[in-house]
Amino acid sequence: MRRAGARETTTAAAMLQRLRTLARDLPRRVTFMEVCGTHTHAIGAAGLRQLLPERMRLVSGPGCPVCVTPVGYLDHAEALARQRGVELCSFGDLYRVPSSRGSLERLAAEGFPVRIVYSPHDALALAEQHADSDLVFLSIGFETTTPTVAATLETARERGVRNLRILPGNKRIAPALSALARDPDVRIDGLLLPGHVSVITGAAVYRFLAREHRLASVVAGFRPLEILAALIELTRMLLAERPALANLYPSVVRDEGNAVAQQLSERWFTAADADWRGLGPIPDSGLRLRERAADWDASRVAVELPEAREPSGCRCGEVLRGAIDPPDCPLFAQRCTPERPVGACMVSSEGSCAAWFRHERASRPVARAAAARAKGDPA
Amino acid sequence: MCLAIPMKLIERDELSGTAELQGVRRRVSLMLLPEARVGDQILIHAGFAIATVDPEEAAETVRLFDALREAEAAEADDRTSGETDASPAPPTSREERA
């Protein structure tokens, strides 16, 4: 990771000062949500949350694909591996996430093949190298990742590869934000929108947030300066009482997004209702493979699934809605740690609980969190 | 998981190429960014280029940040020189954690 230079540090200090000056004029305490897990990680690593004005609370949202993947998806993957003798290919983040009965890690320990890949393309390469294998790629991720899966399937078809299928678990962020905006338990004044999802979708898809929900929203980059600039912009919008959409990541995010990637995703996937951990079922928030891609679809294989069971006592769901901070969960840093995670949010480095554990634990004792909640915080 | 890293495209054939960052090279697919040209800064996610980094917009962002820093420095000077004023000083310690 690049270290911040002196110039960047002075700029950050100036931005913080600006943010504090602006925050003094806020009529009440406001809550912003960083939607994206990569933001959560960046904010934690830079220690930004502790530096914010008292009147500003920054909560994490549902933008960690591993965290929002429901336990039933992992159960499904396990059942495929056990009953059909397939080899699973997965992004590393999913490896230790608890399922109803175990995890991919435990499955591998039992001798079932689970391969970790960096790119969907690696799964294709494995399928080509091992023509007698039956590979299932665990396809999770948001709009950033979906086109890479579509492109991989496209290549597999062109090359006549027949031993690769996917288990679709891909999700769409805009319908989830729409559901959050309608949730009466979730009071958010502004959103830090996910930069790299927006590279693909374009910024324009978020216009509804201001128009329909009067939510201020800013597409933001991932450096601390970019995140601070986004918070300043959100605060300005609130002070002016003019919630709008701003794109502060224009070097890579355009209004219309990446059309090639969108078309490729469209060719293979179509919108479907999907279940989110924490948020529940949300219409059109997921993707399934189209009918004509049935041969590539591992979800069509009938398997017996156990009753989906979330880990007992885990409050991941509330964390993902921004309803509580990780230290508000009684398991946090007690029974649930990155070494022995109970919930998904503690597994992925982008999960809120893991980010808090690594970067912010010392700054916010559990008791203080509890006291803040008892006062009915936030306003 | 939506992590993406800017790298420089140093060679390409049909729909794949080699990208470099600080001496580290890797093969990347250009299927999602067929218009990429050698020399472009490209954003890589999961082995795929997904966007070119617009150098003008990137420079503009830096300029905006610089302008903000300078404006803030000027205001800080004003705040220091205005401390003898009768106007109430802005709240500091009570309001904020440093």
Side-chain angles (χ1 to χ4, degrees), chain A residues 21-35:
Chain A
T21 309
L22 287 172
R24 280 183 203 126
D25 292 332
L26 287 169
R28 60 182 171 84
R29 195 166 187 224
V30 298
T31 302
F32 296 143
M33 172 181 275
E34 91 269 8
V35 171

Side-chain angles (χ1 to χ4, degrees), chain A residues 227-243:
Chain A
I227 294 168
L228 281 168
L231 293 173
I232 289 172
E233 186 62 27
L234 285 173
T235 310
R236 277 195 190 127
M237 287 181 193
L238 292 193
L239 288 173
E241 295 181 23
R242 288 171 73 173

Side-chain angles (χ1 to χ4, degrees), chain A residues 7 10-11 14-15 17-18 20 24 38 50 52 54-55 65 91 93 118-121 140-142 144-145 147-148 151-152 154-155 196-197 199-200 225-226 229 250-252 254 258 260-261 264 350 368, chain B residues 1-5 22 26 29 31-35 43-55 57-58 61-62 64-66 68-73 75 79 90-92 94-98:
Chain A
R7 194 180 177 81
T10 21
T11 309
M15 284 183 169
Q17 186 53 47
R18 174 66 57 93
R20 288 175 179 158
R24 280 183 203 126
T38 311
Q50 298 88 282
L52 297 180
E54 281 284 1
R55 286 191 183 185
F91 289 126
D93 306 37
Y118 157 76
S119 163
H121 226 280
I140 65 158
F142 295 127
T144 328
T145 312
T148 70
T152 300
E154 192 79 12
T155 308
H196 293 148
V197 165
V199 166
I200 303 294
L225 293 186
E226 293 173 314
S251 60
V252 290
R254 279 112 222 181
N258 181 331
V260 174
L264 209 46
E350 294 181 356
R368 195 171 143 203
Chain B
M1 229 183 84
C2 292
L3 191 66
I5 294 170
Q22 294 172 355
R26 59 171 304 141
S29 169
M31 275 182 85
L32 305 178
L33 197 69
E35 71 271 26
L43 200 60
I44 311 294
H45 169 70
F48 287 78
I50 58 169
T52 47
V53 180
D54 183 326
E57 291 286 8
T61 303
V62 172
L64 282 175
F65 289 173
D66 283 348
L68 200 145
R69 185 187 58 232
E70 279 149 28
E72 195 57 43
E75 274 183 32
R79 277 195 291 271
T92 48
R94 264 191 318 247
E95 180 96 355
E96 297 152 7
R97 287 169 287 175

Side-chain angles (χ1 to χ4, degrees), chain A residues 74 146 173-174 203 216 261 263 302 333 373:
Chain A
L74 285 156
T146 303
I173 209 78
Q263 282 157 16
R373 297 233 58 89

Side-chain angles (χ1 to χ4, degrees), chain A residues 327-345:
Chain A
D328 298 327
C329 174
L331 304 188
F332 180 79
Q334 306 288 321
R335 263 177 56 210
C336 185
T337 63
E339 288 71 41
R340 299 175 67 92
V342 175
C345 302

